[in-house]
Amino acid sequence: MQWGLPWPGADQARAAEAAGAVAFCTGEFADVDAYVTSTEMALGTASAHFGPGIAYAFARSPFVHASAVRHLHRLAPGRVFLGLGAGSFRMNRDWFGVDSDHAAPRMSELVHAIRAFLSAENGQRIRFEGRFYSIDADVRAPVLGALDVPILIGAFNKYMVRAVGRDADGILGHGIFTDRWWSESVAPELEVGAADSGRAVGEITRWGWVITAVDDEDPVAAIAAARRQIAFYLTVKTYDPLVELHGWQDEVTAIRRAFRENPTTIGDHVTDDMLWAIAVCGDTAQAGEMLGKRTDLPDVGFLSCPSFLVGRRARAKYTDAAIGFAADQLAPNG
């Protein structure tokens, strides 16, 4: 597995690049914009790939996604990727004020519409006609030219994973993904999608987040932080199919009850089985053992330090430790 980081800021990014990081990514929220942060990444790195991982797909038009990618390409040619995520139905309706019905086919169309803008040459009229997007853009300015920018989709359910296999360049896996989820749920659906488009599944890149908390001075605290992060993710019912695959229903029921009553205790219900299936944590020796037992890691893993109930200083410390751990345990090209 090659490795990267969620964007840690320019200082830590420089150290990470020197240690072998191949990519940086960013999410977004009410106070963080994926494309603004991607600009910081473009200007704060020298060689690594970077991009949204993810940007809210339906909150922006194909034109807005494509123009942002072109702008980032000018700042750092050849290093940009675009990661798109659907977001939840409620988020799209109530936060963004947009329609997200039929999310998987809508995402497929969006990918093709963005590519229509990114593949256009100067003077070429951009046309796309689909069920959800209709584009007829005659851009009368010399600002185009074909760009080959990888488009990845953050996907969990089988229909979105199939959309990846059929229409995208790669998948962005969530930090909750286990080896079994990658091999038993993701891989077969990627095969289905790839077959639909007549291409080899090996052409599809697999990137993903890996929960990482290493601390040789206080490994107990690092393990507790990883447990809380896993528990926080599992409060979301979207991930129930993964829970059911592993037989973790009782533990997750307890997590959700604790989240309502006392969120600081939710990590108490994450068993060692859950911890070792999902995270890399503890002191360097245990983290290395946990990494070594993983059998189906993504091609590029973003070492994601816990953020739930973790302050900025502690998160920066975990990031420094993750960089050192990766430099020692993960070769830049494998």
Side-chain angles (χ1 to χ4, degrees):
M1 181 182 77
Q2 295 181 291
W3 65 280
L5 294 171
W7 181 239
D11 291 340
Q12 287 182 308
R14 282 190 287 270
E17 277 193 306
V22 300
F24 297 95
C25 68
T26 180
E28 62 180 350
F29 198 59
D31 60 342
V32 178
D33 182 272
Y35 288 119
V36 173
T37 308
S38 292
T39 302
E40 295 177 13
M41 293 191 284
L43 300 177
T45 58
S47 60
H49 294 280
F50 68 91
I54 51 76
Y56 292 127
F58 307 138
R60 303 171 175 90
S61 71
F63 172 88
V64 172
H65 284 297
S67 63
V69 168
R70 285 189 176 277
H71 196 154
L72 291 169
H73 173 78
R74 288 205 309 274
L75 296 176
R79 297 200 285 126
V80 185
F81 67 86
L82 172 57
L84 299 170
S88 69
F89 176 83
R90 181 174 296 179
M91 181 181 286
N92 280 284
R93 183 193 64 191
D94 298 343
W95 294 22
F96 310 149
V98 298
D99 189 1
S100 63
D101 287 341
H102 311 289
R106 186 183 295 271
M107 182 71 79
S108 290
E109 275 197 19
L110 177 62
V111 169
H112 287 287
I114 292 170
R115 283 197 180 126
F117 278 104
L118 293 179
S119 63
E121 299 286 357
N122 285 321
Q124 178 182 346
R125 196 180 192 99
I126 302 164
R127 289 190 173 94
F128 178 85
E129 190 64 40
R131 178 180 172 189
F132 305 103
Y133 297 98
S134 180
I135 306 294
D136 185 4
D138 189 8
V139 181
R140 297 297 182 94
V143 295
L144 302 180
L147 291 182
D148 184 14
V149 173
I151 299 179
L152 296 83
I153 297 174
F156 179 80
N157 71 55
K158 67 180 181 180
Y159 299 109
M160 196 65 78
V161 176
R162 289 177 186 178
V164 173
R166 185 175 52 250
D167 300 302
D169 297 297
I171 184 171
L172 279 167
H174 195 281
I176 211 73
F177 280 20
T178 63
D179 293 337
R180 287 188 64 190
W181 189 256
W182 276 113
S183 62
E184 297 180 30
S185 296
V186 174
E189 302 303 340
L190 284 178
E191 290 270 9
V192 171
D196 286 345
S197 61
R199 62 174 175 161
V201 72
E203 299 175 19
I204 303 163
T205 59
R206 302 188 325 155
W207 293 16
W209 293 43
V210 179
I211 297 172
T212 306
V214 180
D215 189 341
D216 287 329
E217 296 177 356
D218 194 350
V220 173
I223 292 168
R227 289 186 194 273
R228 285 194 300 271
Q229 189 66 50
I230 292 168
F232 178 67
Y233 285 145
L234 291 178
T235 62
V236 180
K237 292 185 177 181
T238 298
Y239 305 120
D240 281 355
L242 182 147
V243 171
E244 293 164 8
L245 175 70
H246 287 276
W248 295 336
Q249 293 94 323
D250 290 345
E251 292 85 351
V252 170
T253 296
I255 286 169
R256 292 173 181 171
R257 184 185 307 115
F259 190 61
R260 293 190 297 271
E261 296 172 357
N262 183 2
T264 62
T265 68
I266 60 175
D268 297 345
H269 305 286
V270 174
T271 65
D272 287 349
D273 176 54
M274 299 165 73
L275 185 73
W276 281 68
I278 295 171
V280 173
C281 62
D283 60 17
T284 298
Q286 177 174 302
E289 185 181 356
M290 295 174 84
L291 182 69
K293 287 185 178 295
R294 296 293 295 269
T295 59
D296 203 347
L297 287 162
D299 303 323
V300 174
F302 294 102
L303 306 184
S304 175
C305 301
S307 58
F308 180 69
L309 300 180
V310 176
R312 291 190 177 186
R313 289 183 181 179
R315 186 169 171 81
K317 183 179 178 181
Y318 284 137
T319 299
D320 282 337
I323 294 169
F325 174 78
D328 181 58
Q329 301 278 337
L330 295 168
N333 295 312

